[in-house]
Amino acid sequence: MQPFHRAYYRVLEAFARGQVRRLIVTMPPQHGKSVGATTLLPAYILGADPDCRVAIASYSGALASKFNRRVQRILESREYGDIFPVTTIKCGNKPPNYIRTADEVEIVGHRGGLLSVGREGSLTGNRVDCFVLDDLYKDALEANSPIIRANCWEWYTSVVRTRMHNASRELIVFTRWHEEDLIGTIMQREKVVALRRWEQLGTLRHDEWLHLNFEALKVSPSSELDPRRPGVRPRGAAARARCAGRVVPPARQQGGPHPLQRGDRAASAALPARLAAAVARAPRPSDRLQAPVPGQPLARRARRAYGNRRA
């Protein structure tokens, strides 16, 4: 449990209470964003308001169903029942008139429930009061694809936005891979305000976004939410990746298309030298060719060494 976790959960609680209607959270991988946004938050919202209709979306239906099952295990736990005794779900075949599957679960005696859907999935006929979009891109390959980014934006505007009403809440949380991903496109088209002070909670208009960003390497000035000094890294997988000597894209670790910092430039400058050394150690094509055979063309010997692949 790090200080940024406490700040993260405090912002999520303000979102659950309705103080924030549109929230964007960006942080490095393996820092607990999905545990808070797609596991604990839906359970907390359904406990506080059993009539709330919550939806979880991810890059695939399988991952979204996984989040749904995690929430269901919390809802049926004894500890949860002691805190929220009114919020209950179907157990076994009772009550028989309620739905409980891997993709949808209904709250017994109330209008609320939890629905999970994959990216580009259908939500026809479902009204959503609170939408949580987590990891809409599987990896960097999908985020770097213009077609997938365009399809994601089209699905978001034509499906997600049409299922919400004027009082709906919306949370987008994932690690950024590309500057023109869903978050980047929203920042270009709509007003997004960076969250730096606690007094900002509850002061934004309903059409404005609040952006909470935790940087792997602190480069922005210290704030109430992130009091680290510039140049300090948090404990976690991102810091271990740096120690291992791997070069990680700045947008992935910093929450946006930030320029390379001094440490990133040093690591990037070392890449050509390492690449040249690797090329020097690699066997040359002439080393793989067999000794000349009288009457055998060079092309035939090359095919024997490399197969039918073209250079």
Side-chain angles (χ1 to χ4, degrees):
M1 193 73 175
Q2 299 297 322
F4 76 89
H5 286 114
R6 302 183 186 278
Y8 178 39
Y9 287 121
R10 182 174 175 179
V11 175
L12 291 182
E13 184 174 1
F15 175 82
R17 294 178 181 273
Q19 292 179 297
V20 181
R21 295 276 294 274
R22 309 177 81 181
L23 177 63
I24 294 176
V25 178
T26 53
M27 64 175 64
Q30 298 298 320
H31 278 66
K33 61 182 185 302
S34 295
V35 174
T38 56
T39 303
L40 301 179
L41 178 65
Y44 182 77
I45 291 177
L46 291 174
D49 184 7
D51 293 324
C52 184
R53 301 180 181 92
V54 183
I56 298 175
S58 187
Y59 66 84
S60 69
L63 182 59
S65 299
K66 183 178 180 180
F67 292 143
N68 198 325
R69 292 193 299 269
R70 289 179 180 177
V71 177
Q72 292 184 29
R73 283 193 288 268
I74 295 177
L75 296 181
E76 65 181 358
S77 65
R78 184 182 60 184
E79 295 82 2
Y80 185 87
D82 294 339
I83 301 174
F84 303 109
V86 178
T87 303
T88 59
I89 59 177
K90 182 178 181 178
C91 295
N93 295 326
K94 299 179 181 179
N97 297 329
Y98 288 86
I99 298 175
R100 183 181 179 183
T101 64
D103 298 324
E104 185 177 3
V105 62
E106 296 178 336
I107 305 301
V108 176
H110 295 273
R111 296 174 298 175
L114 179 63
L115 176 69
S116 59
V117 63
R119 188 189 66 208
E120 302 180 13
S122 176
L123 286 171
T124 304
N126 293 282
R127 177 184 175 184
V128 179
D129 301 321
C130 180
F131 221 124
V132 180
L133 298 97
D134 185 7
D135 283 335
L136 292 183
Y137 303 98
K138 182 178 180 180
D139 48 26
L141 293 177
E142 285 197 355
N144 290 329
S145 171
I147 297 178
I148 293 181
R149 293 199 307 269
N151 291 340
C152 182
W153 175 254
E154 176 65 24
W155 174 77
Y156 171 74
T157 55
S158 62
V159 177
V160 175
R161 286 283 179 93
T162 58
R163 294 297 95 197
M164 295 186 294
H165 49 85
N166 293 335
S168 295
R169 287 163 289 174
E170 188 176 359
L171 169 61
I172 301 178
V173 51
F174 58 79
T175 299
R176 297 198 61 187
W177 300 91
H178 196 277
E179 60 182 359
E180 295 180 354
D181 55 13
L182 179 64
I183 294 178
T185 306
I186 290 177
M187 290 181 174
Q188 295 175 1
R189 299 169 179 260
E190 301 177 10
K191 185 176 182 180
V192 179
V193 180
L195 178 59
R196 302 188 184 277
R197 301 182 308 275
W198 292 117
E199 60 186 19
Q200 292 179 260
L201 298 177
T203 60
L204 271 67
R205 299 197 308 265
H206 293 166
D207 59 341
E208 295 178 343
W209 289 88
L210 192 64
H211 182 204
L212 174 63
N213 179 41
F214 289 111
E215 303 164 321
L217 175 65
K218 184 66 174 177
V219 295
S220 60
S222 301
S223 63
E224 296 180 3
L225 286 84
D226 191 357
R228 290 180 298 162
R229 300 188 306 274
V232 177
R233 308 177 191 274
R235 299 177 182 178
R240 290 195 296 270
R242 295 286 183 175
C243 296
R246 298 199 298 268
V247 179
V248 186
R252 175 182 173 186
Q253 298 295 333
Q254 300 296 100
H258 297 275
L260 291 174
Q261 306 300 323
R262 184 175 59 181
D264 299 319
R265 293 194 184 97
S268 300
L271 282 178
R274 293 201 300 266
L275 181 60
V279 172
R281 292 192 301 268
R284 293 174 297 177
S286 59
D287 297 336
R288 301 183 61 178
L289 295 177
Q290 300 178 359
V293 178
Q296 186 181 53
L298 179 61
R300 184 178 301 175
R301 288 187 282 124
R303 284 195 296 270
R304 290 180 59 186
Y306 293 97
N308 293 324
R309 294 176 299 175
R310 294 183 178 180

